[in-house]
Amino acid sequence: MSPVGAEGAGPVGVVLVSHSAAVAAAVAELALGLAGGGEGPPPVLPAGGTPDGGLGTSSELIGAAARAVDRGAGVALLVDLGSAVLTVKALLAEGDELPGNSRLVDAPFVEGAVAAVVTASAGGDLDAVVAAASEAYSYRKA
C-alpha cells in the first residue's frame, strides 16, 4: 500500500453516493464495520437521496459530504446508479464544487465501498484506494 498522501495530510476520504439515504448510510456502516484495525477509520460519509428525504441525488449533499471528509489526501466518490454518476461528473467538471483531489471511482457500490474504506483505513493513498475499489469488479461469487 502506498503511504498517506501529502505530508501532514490525513487519510483518504470516502463519499458514498446513492439514490437512497438509507442505502448510502447502510453501506457506509457496513464498510466501516468491516474495515476494523488499521490506522483507524477513515472519514466516510453517505450522500444519499435528496435534501427533502426523497429518492434521487443531490449535488449539494455530495459536495458537502466531500468537503467534510477531505483531510488533504483526496476524496474517493463511489456511486450506485447512472444519474449519480452524471451528478458527480458534473461536479468534477465544474472544478470548484468538490475538493481538488476528488475522484469518481468506477467500482461496484457495496464491494467497492468496502475495499476503498479498508484500504483507506490501512493508510493507502488515493491511487491505492481507487485501485482497490476498482478491483472489486473481479470478485467472483460463483
Side-chain angles (χ1 to χ4, degrees), residues 21-100:
V23 169
V27 173
E29 180 182 1
L30 175 67
L32 284 165
L34 294 175
E39 297 181 8
V44 177
L45 284 176
T50 60
D52 64 0
L55 294 176
T57 56
S58 163
S59 57
E60 294 82 17
L61 293 176
I62 296 165
R67 288 185 296 277
V69 301
D70 182 24
R71 303 291 185 276
V75 175
L77 295 111
L78 288 96
V79 299
D80 64 354
L81 301 170
S83 65
V85 174
L86 296 175
T87 302
V88 172
K89 283 184 175 183
L91 289 169
L92 289 167
E94 290 175 23
D96 60 352
E97 296 297 316
L98 297 174

Side-chain angles (χ1 to χ4, degrees), residues 1-5 12 39 119-120 122-129:
M1 241 120 329
S2 301
V4 173
V12 171
E39 297 181 8
T119 302
D125 66 8
L126 185 58
D127 288 337
V129 168

